[in-house]
Amino acid sequence: MSSESQPINPARFAEALKDLSAENLALKVLELRNSIAHLDYSNAELKPYAEGLAPTLDQQGRAAQPDQDCIDAIAENEAVIASMQERIELIRTEVEGRGLSWRELQGKVDDDETPAPLATDSNSAASTGNLTNGVNGHTPSNQTQHPAWTDGTFQTGAMSQLSLEDQDLLRQLQSRMPPEDDEDPEGGMHL
């Protein structure tokens, strides 16, 4: 992000949410969760260098030292994650303020179903051992996948990898969206 641009403040974000449909709110939540997963993954990758457990390129052949750039990047990522989680809560407030079900918006209608916890802390993401992203969700048998690849926010391959419930939700969302060739004459607002 450039030094001149700043993200929209929470009050303006909450105000902008009022103009969005429930489907667009659901998509915004998915977008934010995907971004959080990417940042968690990045933090897990940076952690060994930040802690001095692995040498950086400029430290090759010498004892590993904590890298200040990695420490700063992790701190910045954690601040962005906190901001994104705040935005998800603002969306939840808007959804519930409209009298809609937060669980239904997320495609969950069964009360017995509990969502898998998202790794939102670099310590929890990196504490799973030897992490890898694998290829198309497959990892060698001696390695563990990073949680960011298993929480459903990263998609690899065709959309057919979605569960039947997710495919149904996707069809419902797509049926409510206008065709792409219809452009909004007012330009619309993208968050």
Side-chain angles (χ1 to χ4, degrees), residues 61-102:
R62 299 181 300 180
Q65 298 291 323
D67 185 270
Q68 190 60 46
D69 290 336
C70 292
I71 293 168
D72 295 343
I74 289 172
E76 183 177 339
N77 286 351
E78 288 172 350
V80 172
I81 288 170
S83 173
M84 290 180 174
Q85 289 171 330
E86 179 183 13
R87 288 170 187 251
I88 290 172
E89 284 305 310
L90 289 170
I91 295 171
R92 181 179 188 154
T93 301
E94 175 65 23
V95 166
E96 291 173 345
R98 293 181 186 185
L100 302 173
S101 167
W102 178 246

mmCIF file of all heavy atoms in Angstrom, residues 61-102:
data_model
loop_
_atom_site.group_PDB
_atom_site.id
_atom_site.type_symbol
_atom_site.label_atom_id
_atom_site.label_comp_id
_atom_site.label_asym_id
_atom_site.label_seq_id
_atom_site.Cartn_x
_atom_site.Cartn_y
_atom_site.Cartn_z
ATOM 1 N N GLY A 61 25.612 -18.614 5.738
ATOM 2 C CA GLY A 61 26.956 -18.931 6.195
ATOM 3 C C GLY A 61 27.251 -18.405 7.594
ATOM 4 O O GLY A 61 28.301 -18.687 8.154
ATOM 5 N N ARG A 62 26.346 -17.617 8.163
ATOM 6 C CA ARG A 62 26.515 -17.095 9.516
ATOM 7 C C ARG A 62 25.360 -17.574 10.379
ATOM 8 O O ARG A 62 24.378 -18.101 9.882
ATOM 9 C CB ARG A 62 26.530 -15.565 9.506
ATOM 10 C CG ARG A 62 27.664 -14.963 8.693
ATOM 11 C CD ARG A 62 27.635 -13.465 8.735
ATOM 12 N NE ARG A 62 26.354 -12.991 8.182
ATOM 13 C CZ ARG A 62 26.009 -11.737 8.081
ATOM 14 N NH1 ARG A 62 26.821 -10.798 8.497
ATOM 15 N NH2 ARG A 62 24.865 -11.372 7.569
ATOM 16 N N ALA A 63 25.499 -17.349 11.660
ATOM 17 C CA ALA A 63 24.426 -17.710 12.579
ATOM 18 C C ALA A 63 23.195 -16.845 12.287
ATOM 19 O O ALA A 63 23.312 -15.654 12.023
ATOM 20 C CB ALA A 63 24.878 -17.501 14.023
ATOM 21 N N ALA A 64 22.042 -17.471 12.318
ATOM 22 C CA ALA A 64 20.798 -16.743 12.047
ATOM 23 C C ALA A 64 20.516 -15.743 13.165
ATOM 24 O O ALA A 64 20.709 -16.035 14.344
ATOM 25 C CB ALA A 64 19.637 -17.722 11.921
ATOM 26 N N GLN A 65 20.071 -14.572 12.775
ATOM 27 C CA GLN A 65 19.692 -13.507 13.706
ATOM 28 C C GLN A 65 18.257 -13.097 13.392
ATOM 29 O O GLN A 65 17.831 -13.180 12.249
ATOM 30 C CB GLN A 65 20.616 -12.290 13.532
ATOM 31 C CG GLN A 65 22.070 -12.553 13.827
ATOM 32 C CD GLN A 65 22.295 -12.793 15.313
ATOM 33 O OE1 GLN A 65 21.668 -12.160 16.147
ATOM 34 N NE2 GLN A 65 23.170 -13.728 15.626
ATOM 35 N N PRO A 66 17.518 -12.620 14.380
ATOM 36 C CA PRO A 66 16.167 -12.118 14.079
ATOM 37 C C PRO A 66 16.241 -10.996 13.040
ATOM 38 O O PRO A 66 17.090 -10.124 13.116
ATOM 39 C CB PRO A 66 15.670 -11.588 15.424
ATOM 40 C CG PRO A 66 16.459 -12.350 16.439
ATOM 41 C CD PRO A 66 17.819 -12.579 15.812
ATOM 42 N N ASP A 67 15.354 -11.062 12.057
ATOM 43 C CA ASP A 67 15.331 -10.080 10.985
ATOM 44 C C ASP A 67 14.265 -9.023 11.283
ATOM 45 O O ASP A 67 13.084 -9.344 11.382
ATOM 46 C CB ASP A 67 15.038 -10.769 9.650
ATOM 47 C CG ASP A 67 15.116 -9.804 8.495
ATOM 48 O OD1 ASP A 67 14.080 -9.203 8.168
ATOM 49 O OD2 ASP A 67 16.225 -9.644 7.935
ATOM 50 N N GLN A 68 14.704 -7.772 11.428
ATOM 51 C CA GLN A 68 13.792 -6.690 11.796
ATOM 52 C C GLN A 68 12.726 -6.442 10.731
ATOM 53 O O GLN A 68 11.581 -6.141 11.057
ATOM 54 C CB GLN A 68 14.562 -5.398 12.079
ATOM 55 C CG GLN A 68 13.707 -4.309 12.688
ATOM 56 C CD GLN A 68 13.081 -4.721 14.030
ATOM 57 O OE1 GLN A 68 13.752 -5.273 14.894
ATOM 58 N NE2 GLN A 68 11.793 -4.457 14.187
ATOM 59 N N ASP A 69 13.077 -6.604 9.468
ATOM 60 C CA ASP A 69 12.082 -6.426 8.406
ATOM 61 C C ASP A 69 10.947 -7.438 8.546
ATOM 62 O O ASP A 69 9.776 -7.103 8.358
ATOM 63 C CB ASP A 69 12.720 -6.548 7.024
ATOM 64 C CG ASP A 69 13.623 -5.374 6.686
ATOM 65 O OD1 ASP A 69 13.421 -4.283 7.276
ATOM 66 O OD2 ASP A 69 14.535 -5.544 5.849
ATOM 67 N N CYS A 70 11.288 -8.678 8.875
ATOM 68 C CA CYS A 70 10.263 -9.711 9.059
ATOM 69 C C CYS A 70 9.425 -9.426 10.307
ATOM 70 O O CYS A 70 8.205 -9.612 10.293
ATOM 71 C CB CYS A 70 10.910 -11.088 9.154
ATOM 72 S SG CYS A 70 11.654 -11.619 7.592
ATOM 73 N N ILE A 71 10.070 -8.971 11.361
ATOM 74 C CA ILE A 71 9.350 -8.615 12.587
ATOM 75 C C ILE A 71 8.352 -7.500 12.288
ATOM 76 O O ILE A 71 7.182 -7.565 12.689
ATOM 77 C CB ILE A 71 10.342 -8.187 13.694
ATOM 78 C CG1 ILE A 71 11.202 -9.381 14.135
ATOM 79 C CG2 ILE A 71 9.606 -7.566 14.881
ATOM 80 C CD1 ILE A 71 12.389 -9.010 15.002
ATOM 81 N N ASP A 72 8.795 -6.481 11.547
ATOM 82 C CA ASP A 72 7.916 -5.363 11.189
ATOM 83 C C ASP A 72 6.774 -5.811 10.279
ATOM 84 O O ASP A 72 5.634 -5.366 10.441
ATOM 85 C CB ASP A 72 8.717 -4.256 10.503
ATOM 86 C CG ASP A 72 9.741 -3.602 11.423
ATOM 87 O OD1 ASP A 72 9.625 -3.765 12.665
ATOM 88 O OD2 ASP A 72 10.664 -2.940 10.897
ATOM 89 N N ALA A 73 7.077 -6.691 9.325
ATOM 90 C CA ALA A 73 6.044 -7.170 8.401
ATOM 91 C C ALA A 73 4.975 -7.961 9.148
ATOM 92 O O ALA A 73 3.766 -7.803 8.889
ATOM 93 C CB ALA A 73 6.674 -8.030 7.304
ATOM 94 N N ILE A 74 5.384 -8.799 10.093
ATOM 95 C CA ILE A 74 4.420 -9.572 10.886
ATOM 96 C C ILE A 74 3.544 -8.633 11.706
ATOM 97 O O ILE A 74 2.317 -8.795 11.767
ATOM 98 C CB ILE A 74 5.147 -10.602 11.784
ATOM 99 C CG1 ILE A 74 5.720 -11.739 10.918
ATOM 100 C CG2 ILE A 74 4.209 -11.155 12.852
ATOM 101 C CD1 ILE A 74 6.614 -12.695 11.671
ATOM 102 N N ALA A 75 4.152 -7.623 12.316
ATOM 103 C CA ALA A 75 3.373 -6.666 13.120
ATOM 104 C C ALA A 75 2.373 -5.913 12.242
ATOM 105 O O ALA A 75 1.211 -5.720 12.635
ATOM 106 C CB ALA A 75 4.307 -5.680 13.822
ATOM 107 N N GLU A 76 2.803 -5.510 11.056
ATOM 108 C CA GLU A 76 1.890 -4.815 10.143
ATOM 109 C C GLU A 76 0.756 -5.739 9.696
ATOM 110 O O GLU A 76 -0.409 -5.344 9.666
ATOM 111 C CB GLU A 76 2.649 -4.299 8.925
ATOM 112 C CG GLU A 76 1.772 -3.512 7.966
ATOM 113 C CD GLU A 76 2.546 -2.936 6.788
ATOM 114 O OE1 GLU A 76 3.776 -2.782 6.880
ATOM 115 O OE2 GLU A 76 1.889 -2.645 5.782
ATOM 116 N N ASN A 77 1.090 -6.995 9.374
ATOM 117 C CA ASN A 77 0.069 -7.963 8.978
ATOM 118 C C ASN A 77 -0.951 -8.174 10.101
ATOM 119 O O ASN A 77 -2.150 -8.273 9.856
ATOM 120 C CB ASN A 77 0.697 -9.298 8.595
ATOM 121 C CG ASN A 77 1.392 -9.260 7.248
ATOM 122 O OD1 ASN A 77 1.285 -8.284 6.506
ATOM 123 N ND2 ASN A 77 2.117 -10.315 6.935
ATOM 124 N N GLU A 78 -0.468 -8.259 11.341
ATOM 125 C CA GLU A 78 -1.379 -8.463 12.467
ATOM 126 C C GLU A 78 -2.311 -7.267 12.660
ATOM 127 O O GLU A 78 -3.483 -7.434 12.984
ATOM 128 C CB GLU A 78 -0.592 -8.770 13.735
ATOM 129 C CG GLU A 78 0.020 -10.165 13.708
ATOM 130 C CD GLU A 78 0.964 -10.456 14.861
ATOM 131 O OE1 GLU A 78 1.320 -9.525 15.619
ATOM 132 O OE2 GLU A 78 1.359 -11.628 15.000
ATOM 133 N N ALA A 79 -1.807 -6.065 12.399
ATOM 134 C CA ALA A 79 -2.663 -4.878 12.494
ATOM 135 C C ALA A 79 -3.722 -4.902 11.391
ATOM 136 O O ALA A 79 -4.896 -4.569 11.632
ATOM 137 C CB ALA A 79 -1.817 -3.606 12.392
ATOM 138 N N VAL A 80 -3.330 -5.322 10.191
ATOM 139 C CA VAL A 80 -4.289 -5.409 9.083
ATOM 140 C C VAL A 80 -5.327 -6.494 9.371
ATOM 141 O O VAL A 80 -6.521 -6.305 9.125
ATOM 142 C CB VAL A 80 -3.554 -5.668 7.750
ATOM 143 C CG1 VAL A 80 -4.538 -5.955 6.627
ATOM 144 C CG2 VAL A 80 -2.673 -4.481 7.397
ATOM 145 N N ILE A 81 -4.899 -7.623 9.916
ATOM 146 C CA ILE A 81 -5.827 -8.700 10.272
ATOM 147 C C ILE A 81 -6.848 -8.194 11.282
ATOM 148 O O ILE A 81 -8.055 -8.446 11.148
ATOM 149 C CB ILE A 81 -5.062 -9.929 10.824
ATOM 150 C CG1 ILE A 81 -4.318 -10.635 9.683
ATOM 151 C CG2 ILE A 81 -6.013 -10.893 11.535
ATOM 152 C CD1 ILE A 81 -3.339 -11.700 10.144
ATOM 153 N N ALA A 82 -6.392 -7.470 12.297
ATOM 154 C CA ALA A 82 -7.316 -6.921 13.305
ATOM 155 C C ALA A 82 -8.328 -5.986 12.648
ATOM 156 O O ALA A 82 -9.526 -6.021 12.967
ATOM 157 C CB ALA A 82 -6.541 -6.202 14.400
ATOM 158 N N SER A 83 -7.874 -5.166 11.715
ATOM 159 C CA SER A 83 -8.767 -4.255 11.000
ATOM 160 C C SER A 83 -9.791 -5.038 10.180
ATOM 161 O O SER A 83 -10.983 -4.693 10.152
ATOM 162 C CB SER A 83 -7.946 -3.336 10.091
ATOM 163 O OG SER A 83 -8.784 -2.570 9.276
ATOM 164 N N MET A 84 -9.355 -6.096 9.518
ATOM 165 C CA MET A 84 -10.268 -6.914 8.719
ATOM 166 C C MET A 84 -11.286 -7.630 9.593
ATOM 167 O O MET A 84 -12.455 -7.760 9.224
ATOM 168 C CB MET A 84 -9.480 -7.906 7.871
ATOM 169 C CG MET A 84 -8.717 -7.253 6.752
ATOM 170 S SD MET A 84 -7.808 -8.479 5.802
ATOM 171 C CE MET A 84 -7.179 -7.455 4.488
ATOM 172 N N GLN A 85 -10.848 -8.103 10.761
ATOM 173 C CA GLN A 85 -11.783 -8.751 11.676
ATOM 174 C C GLN A 85 -12.818 -7.746 12.182
ATOM 175 O O GLN A 85 -13.993 -8.084 12.341
ATOM 176 C CB GLN A 85 -11.029 -9.387 12.844
ATOM 177 C CG GLN A 85 -10.245 -10.615 12.416
ATOM 178 C CD GLN A 85 -9.323 -11.129 13.497
ATOM 179 O OE1 GLN A 85 -8.832 -10.372 14.331
ATOM 180 N NE2 GLN A 85 -9.080 -12.426 13.483
ATOM 181 N N GLU A 86 -12.392 -6.512 12.389
ATOM 182 C CA GLU A 86 -13.329 -5.458 12.786
ATOM 183 C C GLU A 86 -14.354 -5.223 11.683
ATOM 184 O O GLU A 86 -15.548 -5.058 11.958
ATOM 185 C CB GLU A 86 -12.563 -4.167 13.084
ATOM 186 C CG GLU A 86 -13.450 -3.009 13.475
ATOM 187 C CD GLU A 86 -12.681 -1.710 13.689
ATOM 188 O OE1 GLU A 86 -11.497 -1.626 13.313
ATOM 189 O OE2 GLU A 86 -13.291 -0.771 14.226
ATOM 190 N N ARG A 87 -13.923 -5.258 10.431
ATOM 191 C CA ARG A 87 -14.838 -5.078 9.310
ATOM 192 C C ARG A 87 -15.831 -6.225 9.215
ATOM 193 O O ARG A 87 -17.007 -6.014 8.904
ATOM 194 C CB ARG A 87 -14.064 -4.915 8.004
ATOM 195 C CG ARG A 87 -13.367 -3.579 7.933
ATOM 196 C CD ARG A 87 -12.410 -3.491 6.763
ATOM 197 N NE ARG A 87 -11.673 -2.253 6.855
ATOM 198 C CZ ARG A 87 -11.847 -1.215 6.051
ATOM 199 N NH1 ARG A 87 -12.726 -1.273 5.099
ATOM 200 N NH2 ARG A 87 -11.146 -0.130 6.222
ATOM 201 N N ILE A 88 -15.362 -7.441 9.475
ATOM 202 C CA ILE A 88 -16.280 -8.587 9.478
ATOM 203 C C ILE A 88 -17.344 -8.395 10.556
ATOM 204 O O ILE A 88 -18.531 -8.658 10.330
ATOM 205 C CB ILE A 88 -15.510 -9.914 9.666
ATOM 206 C CG1 ILE A 88 -14.697 -10.220 8.405
ATOM 207 C CG2 ILE A 88 -16.469 -11.061 9.990
ATOM 208 C CD1 ILE A 88 -13.750 -11.401 8.530
ATOM 209 N N GLU A 89 -16.939 -7.896 11.720
ATOM 210 C CA GLU A 89 -17.917 -7.630 12.782
ATOM 211 C C GLU A 89 -18.886 -6.522 12.388
ATOM 212 O O GLU A 89 -20.075 -6.579 12.726
ATOM 213 C CB GLU A 89 -17.209 -7.288 14.098
ATOM 214 C CG GLU A 89 -16.623 -8.504 14.794
ATOM 215 C CD GLU A 89 -17.654 -9.604 15.042
ATOM 216 O OE1 GLU A 89 -18.741 -9.305 15.589
ATOM 217 O OE2 GLU A 89 -17.378 -10.763 14.674
ATOM 218 N N LEU A 90 -18.416 -5.508 11.659
ATOM 219 C CA LEU A 90 -19.312 -4.454 11.169
ATOM 220 C C LEU A 90 -20.329 -5.029 10.182
ATOM 221 O O LEU A 90 -21.510 -4.653 10.201
ATOM 222 C CB LEU A 90 -18.510 -3.328 10.510
ATOM 223 C CG LEU A 90 -17.688 -2.451 11.458
ATOM 224 C CD1 LEU A 90 -16.755 -1.533 10.666
ATOM 225 C CD2 LEU A 90 -18.593 -1.648 12.371
ATOM 226 N N ILE A 91 -19.881 -5.947 9.341
ATOM 227 C CA ILE A 91 -20.799 -6.596 8.403
ATOM 228 C C ILE A 91 -21.814 -7.434 9.178
ATOM 229 O O ILE A 91 -23.011 -7.402 8.879
ATOM 230 C CB ILE A 91 -20.031 -7.453 7.376
ATOM 231 C CG1 ILE A 91 -19.165 -6.557 6.485
ATOM 232 C CG2 ILE A 91 -20.998 -8.291 6.540
ATOM 233 C CD1 ILE A 91 -18.203 -7.307 5.582
ATOM 234 N N ARG A 92 -21.350 -8.137 10.188
ATOM 235 C CA ARG A 92 -22.268 -8.949 11.007
ATOM 236 C C ARG A 92 -23.328 -8.059 11.656
ATOM 237 O O ARG A 92 -24.512 -8.390 11.665
ATOM 238 C CB ARG A 92 -21.483 -9.710 12.073
ATOM 239 C CG ARG A 92 -22.358 -10.578 12.935
ATOM 240 C CD ARG A 92 -21.570 -11.344 13.959
ATOM 241 N NE ARG A 92 -22.428 -12.289 14.623
ATOM 242 C CZ ARG A 92 -22.023 -13.396 15.184
ATOM 243 N NH1 ARG A 92 -20.744 -13.704 15.167
ATOM 244 N NH2 ARG A 92 -22.873 -14.196 15.756
ATOM 245 N N THR A 93 -22.909 -6.924 12.190
ATOM 246 C CA THR A 93 -23.843 -5.980 12.806
ATOM 247 C C THR A 93 -24.870 -5.512 11.782
ATOM 248 O O THR A 93 -26.074 -5.435 12.083
ATOM 249 C CB THR A 93 -23.080 -4.784 13.406
ATOM 250 O OG1 THR A 93 -22.151 -5.279 14.377
ATOM 251 C CG2 THR A 93 -24.019 -3.782 14.040
ATOM 252 N N GLU A 94 -24.414 -5.199 10.569
ATOM 253 C CA GLU A 94 -25.331 -4.760 9.501
ATOM 254 C C GLU A 94 -26.312 -5.870 9.131
ATOM 255 O O GLU A 94 -27.504 -5.632 8.987
ATOM 256 C CB GLU A 94 -24.532 -4.315 8.270
ATOM 257 C CG GLU A 94 -25.378 -3.947 7.068
ATOM 258 C CD GLU A 94 -26.257 -2.718 7.277
ATOM 259 O OE1 GLU A 94 -25.938 -1.875 8.145
ATOM 260 O OE2 GLU A 94 -27.271 -2.605 6.570
ATOM 261 N N VAL A 95 -25.804 -7.091 8.982
ATOM 262 C CA VAL A 95 -26.661 -8.224 8.615
ATOM 263 C C VAL A 95 -27.731 -8.452 9.680
ATOM 264 O O VAL A 95 -28.922 -8.572 9.376
ATOM 265 C CB VAL A 95 -25.804 -9.500 8.410
ATOM 266 C CG1 VAL A 95 -26.659 -10.756 8.365
ATOM 267 C CG2 VAL A 95 -24.971 -9.367 7.140
ATOM 268 N N GLU A 96 -27.293 -8.501 10.931
ATOM 269 C CA GLU A 96 -28.242 -8.742 12.012
ATOM 270 C C GLU A 96 -29.186 -7.557 12.196
ATOM 271 O O GLU A 96 -30.346 -7.734 12.561
ATOM 272 C CB GLU A 96 -27.493 -9.077 13.302
ATOM 273 C CG GLU A 96 -26.802 -10.430 13.209
ATOM 274 C CD GLU A 96 -25.905 -10.758 14.389
ATOM 275 O OE1 GLU A 96 -25.573 -9.828 15.177
ATOM 276 O OE2 GLU A 96 -25.516 -11.930 14.519
ATOM 277 N N GLY A 97 -28.711 -6.333 11.907
ATOM 278 C CA GLY A 97 -29.565 -5.148 11.974
ATOM 279 C C GLY A 97 -30.677 -5.178 10.930
ATOM 280 O O GLY A 97 -31.725 -4.561 11.108
ATOM 281 N N ARG A 98 -30.457 -5.900 9.841
ATOM 282 C CA ARG A 98 -31.485 -6.054 8.810
ATOM 283 C C ARG A 98 -32.468 -7.176 9.149
ATOM 284 O O ARG A 98 -33.384 -7.451 8.386
ATOM 285 C CB ARG A 98 -30.843 -6.364 7.457
ATOM 286 C CG ARG A 98 -30.024 -5.241 6.882
ATOM 287 C CD ARG A 98 -29.451 -5.635 5.544
ATOM 288 N NE ARG A 98 -28.540 -4.624 5.026
ATOM 289 C CZ ARG A 98 -27.982 -4.681 3.832
ATOM 290 N NH1 ARG A 98 -28.245 -5.682 3.013
ATOM 291 N NH2 ARG A 98 -27.165 -3.721 3.435
ATOM 292 N N GLY A 99 -32.216 -7.850 10.274
ATOM 293 C CA GLY A 99 -33.080 -8.961 10.657
ATOM 294 C C GLY A 99 -32.730 -10.259 9.955
ATOM 295 O O GLY A 99 -33.512 -11.208 9.973
ATOM 296 N N LEU A 100 -31.552 -10.319 9.336
ATOM 297 C CA LEU A 100 -31.109 -11.524 8.643
ATOM 298 C C LEU A 100 -30.281 -12.381 9.582
ATOM 299 O O LEU A 100 -29.733 -11.905 10.570
ATOM 300 C CB LEU A 100 -30.281 -11.152 7.411
ATOM 301 C CG LEU A 100 -30.971 -10.260 6.379
ATOM 302 C CD1 LEU A 100 -29.982 -9.827 5.310
ATOM 303 C CD2 LEU A 100 -32.148 -10.986 5.758
ATOM 304 N N SER A 101 -30.178 -13.652 9.259
ATOM 305 C CA SER A 101 -29.393 -14.582 10.071
ATOM 306 C C SER A 101 -27.942 -14.570 9.610
ATOM 307 O O SER A 101 -27.648 -14.784 8.421
ATOM 308 C CB SER A 101 -29.955 -15.997 9.932
ATOM 309 O OG SER A 101 -29.048 -16.938 10.469
ATOM 310 N N TRP A 102 -27.044 -14.334 10.526
ATOM 311 C CA TRP A 102 -25.607 -14.349 10.223
ATOM 312 C C TRP A 102 -25.188 -15.740 9.753
ATOM 313 O O TRP A 102 -24.423 -15.887 8.815
ATOM 314 C CB TRP A 102 -24.830 -13.911 11.453
ATOM 315 C CG TRP A 102 -23.340 -13.923 11.303
ATOM 316 C CD1 TRP A 102 -22.464 -14.737 11.961
ATOM 317 C CD2 TRP A 102 -22.539 -13.086 10.458
ATOM 318 N NE1 TRP A 102 -21.173 -14.459 11.572
ATOM 319 C CE2 TRP A 102 -21.193 -13.443 10.649
ATOM 320 C CE3 TRP A 102 -22.832 -12.077 9.559
ATOM 321 C CZ2 TRP A 102 -20.146 -12.838 9.986
ATOM 322 C CZ3 TRP A 102 -21.788 -11.464 8.885
ATOM 323 C CH2 TRP A 102 -20.463 -11.846 9.100
#
